[in-house]
Each structure stands twice: as C-alpha cells, then as structure tokens.
Amino acid sequence: MIPIKDRDGIAQMRESCAIAATVLYRLKALVQPGISTFDLDQAGRELMASFGARSADFGYQIGSRRFPAYTCLSVNEEVVHGIGSIKRILHDGDIISLDVTVEANGYIGDTAITVPVGSISPDVARLVQTTREALQIGIQQAQVGNRIGDISNAVQTYVEARGFGVVRDLVGHGVGRSMHEEPQIPNFGRRGVGEKIKAGMTLAIEPMVNLGTYRVKTLADGWTVVTADGLPSAHFEHTVLTTDKGPEILTIPRPSAPPASAPPSAISISQTTTKPV
Ligand code: MF3
Ligand code: CO
Ligand code: CO
C-alpha cells in the first residue's frame, strides 16, 4: 500500500522538504575547488541542526551496516551514497551530487542536485543538464490517474535518446515518515505498468544518469555506488506531492532572510520618500 498523506502529514512534509532544499542550496554555495567532501558533510550536519532537523542518512541501516555520514556526496564516477572524506578534495572540472535527506518532526524530505566544480567539459555539462531535465520530465508524469511506469518510461526515453545510460539498480521511492516507502520508482520501464497514482502521495523522483554504461557497482565500503566504467554520473532528486491539480515540488528552498544591515528595498524607499508632484 502506498501511504496517502492527510492535511497534517502534508503540512509536515512541506516543512521537512523546505528544510532539506534550503540545506542543499547552502551546501551548493560552499562547493569550490579545494574543499573536502568531509567539510561539506560537516557543514550539512550543522545546517540541519540550525533548522531544527536531523540527518535521516546518519545511522541509516541496510542489513548490518549503518551509514556513517550526514549527507550523500558523490563525486564524478560516484553515482550515489558517497561518504564524505578528508581525502576527497574537489578539483576544477569535477561534478558532485549533493543529496540531502532530513527528518523534522518525524517527516522526511529528500532532494539532490549535481553541481559543477569550476568549469566542466561540454560532455559532462550535457550529462548534468540532461539529468536535470529528465527529473522535470519524470515529475510531469506524476499525475493523478497515471501509473508509476509512466514516470519511469518518460525518464528512460528522454535520457537514452540523448545517448546516456540510466541506472537501473537504484530507484526513486515514496517518502514520508520513513525515508523509503512504497512505491519504488525505477528510472526505466514501460508506460502503463505499476501502481496508479492518487492524490496525497509524496514521491522522491531521482534519475541517476551515466555518461557511459548504465552499469554500476558498490565499493568495498558497502555504500558508495560507482559507475562500472569509471565515467561520470549525475543525479537530481525532488520530493513531489501528487494533487488533483498536478504534481507539486515540495523540495523548494526557503528564501534566506536578508542580512540585518540590508538597506530598505527600492520599493519601500520610493513609497516612503516620494511625494506626488
Ligand atoms: N538520499 C538517498 C535517497 O535518495 C538515501 C540515502 S541512504 C544513505 O534515497 F544511507 F545512504 F544515506
Ligand atoms: Co536522496
Ligand atoms: Co531518495
């Protein structure tokens, strides 16, 4: 059964998703050549705490393993679930997937972007752009009355038409009180298959797209997923609420408060000082 969120659940999801997205974009601002993925992860932990949230990744258990970091930071050939390390320093030309999953008041928000470090090659830029677009194409299919396979097929068709490989071993998912709820949302598949989409579902849609082969493997750390051929991979993710009026992206950052010293805006100046002539 796919959980349907009620009014209160939706309000809580709005909160956790807004926090996740706000943390994500604060992290993005820190990405530059010379920073380590460990420092980014620590910044993620502090940002979540500053918003009254906690990492849903830290301690997340699969089998007997617990995830040891606060965010998933995946560089170049790393697809997802990369673990921040003082040894992994970002360099000009790298790309990094920042994947932030927070829990606030018992509800989870999950969102990711892939960010260039300095200037990247045209091939890699096209990979990142295609993955960003594939997420939007998938979200457009999250319509009440459609089926999950409509999302999967739209993503796969878009990505493969551009010559890239779409990862099959990992999927998007329902998200709510748990990080991974039903349904699974593959990024490949056939239209018209899978469960029917109803209003009030919260779905994490997350294409992972490879420059070369779609095949991936997991490193000896038990978490980091990398491309089988060592070529780069990109990843974007939103948590989406399904409604009768269409999909609504919940993982939108909150505008940051202006600094205390900020001057009044132009509008308020003209409104308070301009007299009619
Ligand atoms: N954020 C990931 C997702 O999109 C899940 C990370 S679980 C972790 O589903 F344990 F690897 F952190
Ligand atoms: Co995620
Ligand atoms: Co996810």
Side-chain angles (χ1 to χ4, degrees):
M1 276 292 286
I2 303 177
I4 301 293
K5 276 74 185 178
D6 62 12
R7 276 181 84 87
D8 182 59
I10 290 168
Q12 304 279 16
M13 284 299 288
R14 285 188 193 288
E15 179 67 16
S16 60
C17 288
I19 294 172
T22 305
V23 170
L24 179 64
Y25 279 84
R26 299 275 190 102
L27 278 186
K28 179 188 183 210
L30 300 176
V31 169
Q32 57 172 310
I35 194 168
S36 75
T37 56
F38 178 84
D39 287 341
L40 286 173
D41 191 57
Q42 290 299 306
R45 177 177 59 78
E46 287 164 18
L47 283 163
M48 289 182 226
S50 77
F51 291 112
R54 66 166 193 91
S55 166
D57 290 347
F58 185 77
Y60 182 76
Q61 207 168 353
I62 299 180
S64 59
R65 289 178 193 274
R66 287 180 178 277
F67 192 72
Y70 297 89
T71 60
C72 293
L73 303 171
S74 309
V75 182
N76 295 342
E77 78 287 354
E78 296 174 352
V79 180
V80 287
H81 306 166
I83 299 164
S85 162
I86 51 168
K87 287 183 275 182
R88 190 105 202 204
I89 309 291
L90 298 184
H91 296 108
D92 187 63
D94 287 346
I95 55 171
I96 179 168
S97 156
L98 314 170
D99 188 349
V100 172
T101 313
V102 310
E103 189 242 285
N105 289 322
Y107 285 83
I108 289 176
D110 189 7
T111 184
I113 53 175
T114 297
V115 178
V117 184
S119 60
I120 60 175
S121 75
D123 279 3
V124 175
R126 195 165 160 271
L127 169 73
V128 172
Q129 181 63 10
T130 297
T131 312
R132 181 189 290 115
E133 289 165 0
L135 172 58
Q136 293 300 328
I137 297 283
I139 290 170
Q140 280 172 28
Q141 292 300 316
Q143 304 284 348
V144 171
N146 277 7
R147 289 182 185 269
I148 296 299
D150 299 336
I151 301 173
S152 308
N153 182 262
V155 171
Q156 179 182 18
T157 304
Y158 192 82
V159 168
E160 291 182 350
R162 282 154 186 78
F164 298 116
V166 66
V167 173
R168 299 177 178 220
D169 290 3
L170 296 135
V171 296
H173 50 92
V175 55
R177 285 188 170 278
S178 304
M179 176 157 60
H180 294 142
E181 296 182 345
E182 285 187 54
Q184 295 200 153
I185 310 175
N187 293 299
F188 69 101
R190 286 164 45 187
R191 288 173 60 180
V193 306
E195 298 219 48
K196 232 186 195 159
I197 296 171
K198 298 191 177 112
M201 294 179 175
T202 44
L203 306 175
I205 302 175
E206 50 179 316
M208 292 148 267
V209 178
N210 298 349
L211 191 60
T213 177
Y214 71 86
R215 290 202 170 79
V216 299
K217 59 184 186 181
T218 304
L219 295 184
D221 64 17
W223 291 101
T224 312
V225 178
V226 298
T227 56
D229 58 12
L231 291 175
S233 181
H235 173 219
F236 284 81
E237 175 175 31
H238 270 308
T239 301
V240 171
L241 170 70
T242 58
T243 82
D244 290 318
K245 293 181 201 151
E248 182 191 344
I249 298 171
L250 298 183
T251 37
I252 303 288
R254 292 222 171 99
S256 54
S261 59
S265 70
I267 286 172
S268 67
I269 290 170
S270 66
Q271 282 172 345
T272 53
T273 62
T274 309
K275 292 194 179 86
V277 285

